[in-house]
Amino acid sequence: MEHAADPSPAFRHVSAWVFDLDNTLYDPAIRLFDQIEGRMEDFVMRTLKVERDTAHRLRREFWATYGTTLAGLMEKHGIEADPFLEEVHDIDFSALKPDPLLSARIAALPGRRIVYTNATVPYARAVLEARGMTPLFDAVYGVQEADYHPKPRREAFERIFSLDALAPRQAAMFEDDPRNLAVPHEMGMKTVLVGPEAVTAPHIHHHTTDLSSFLGRLTGL
């Protein structure tokens, strides 16, 4: 867990570093995702012809049951994915600022560095651009590259890792959603939960409230 003296020995074999995007590569206190959730609810209200409180409930229920709101809309209502994805990710990125120290620590990680998000690649690239992190990553993958299977589904990870030719037993995964670390653990990856609350579970190997400081302990920066 986060208070271990030195996490680096557990990561010496790692040659591929996989990062979730939202609330992982930026502080969740920025509340960027609030904009996306609001736009999701707008979409649900308009498409399903329901009131705001119902749209809010459905968004949360679909996320809990299917992994993402989109997955629930596709499964239960046959919603076409791409118009939804384009609409909900059209947000204001001005709250995001560069973080030179975090960027330096990511750049110092040995091997391949990847972003894998349940959002879209254009959205992910906009976040990375706002954070000054675009040059740091060798590849960026989203839900479209996973054939619209969302994390935490195993087929999502298998599709992305196959596309990347990534060897899970030589990789680490950083995520803010504990559910999304279960399959990486099963596949042999090192897992790190990034967020305010620790979760005790066999599939969570490390926890940190501060990604930058955790990577600092890995890289010595």
Side-chain angles (χ1 to χ4, degrees):
M1 306 304 284
E2 185 180 16
H3 299 295
D6 181 8
S8 58
F11 292 82
R12 284 178 183 152
H13 67 292
V14 172
S15 59
W17 309 83
V18 184
F19 292 87
D20 177 49
L21 182 77
D22 288 308
N23 298 329
T24 300
L25 288 177
Y26 62 82
D27 190 331
I30 294 172
R31 305 197 68 83
L32 189 74
F33 208 76
D34 287 5
Q35 295 184 61
I36 295 175
E37 290 176 345
R39 294 183 72 83
M40 286 180 181
E41 291 176 10
D42 291 343
F43 184 97
V44 171
M45 289 172 64
R46 186 180 70 252
T47 304
L48 302 186
K49 296 179 170 51
V50 298
E51 298 298 322
R52 173 74 63 181
D53 59 344
T54 301
H56 176 76
R57 175 178 57 79
L58 289 173
R59 176 182 63 76
R60 293 179 61 84
E61 287 179 359
F62 289 160
W63 176 83
T65 303
Y66 298 98
T68 62
T69 301
L70 172 59
L73 287 169
M74 293 172 69
E75 178 73 21
K76 299 292 287 185
H77 299 282
I79 296 299
E80 188 178 347
D82 288 345
F84 172 90
L85 290 167
E86 183 175 353
E87 178 174 330
V88 304
H89 292 113
D90 183 15
I91 65 167
D92 177 10
F93 297 95
S94 61
L96 295 172
K97 306 299 180 188
D99 185 335
L101 182 56
L102 175 57
S103 293
R105 288 166 167 169
I106 293 173
L109 293 170
R112 189 168 172 77
R113 299 181 294 275
I114 298 159
V115 170
Y116 173 31
T117 173
N118 273 337
T120 65
V121 168
Y123 167 80
R125 293 198 182 281
V127 171
L128 295 176
E129 178 69 22
R131 293 286 277 157
M133 295 180 175
T134 300
L136 303 180
F137 293 97
D138 300 289
V140 180
Y141 300 104
V143 68
Q144 290 157 317
E145 288 70 35
D147 293 333
Y148 300 97
H149 294 294
K151 298 180 283 185
R153 295 181 188 171
R154 187 178 185 93
E155 51 266 59
F157 291 99
E158 289 177 344
R159 172 65 175 160
I160 295 302
F161 295 163
S162 176
L163 279 174
D164 197 76
L166 180 145
R169 294 191 177 278
Q170 298 171 349
M173 182 90 194
F174 296 80
E175 259 278 358
D176 71 300
D177 187 341
R179 302 178 303 173
N180 295 345
L181 292 173
V183 169
H185 161 76
E186 292 171 3
M187 298 174 80
M189 300 177 75
K190 285 294 177 187
T191 64
V192 183
L193 178 65
V194 181
E197 296 183 7
V199 174
T200 301
H203 67 277
I204 297 173
H205 306 150
H206 301 270
H207 167 252
T208 183
T209 59
D210 184 342
L211 176 63
S212 185
S213 66
F214 189 89
L215 295 182
R217 288 154 62 202
L218 291 182
T219 61
L221 295 182

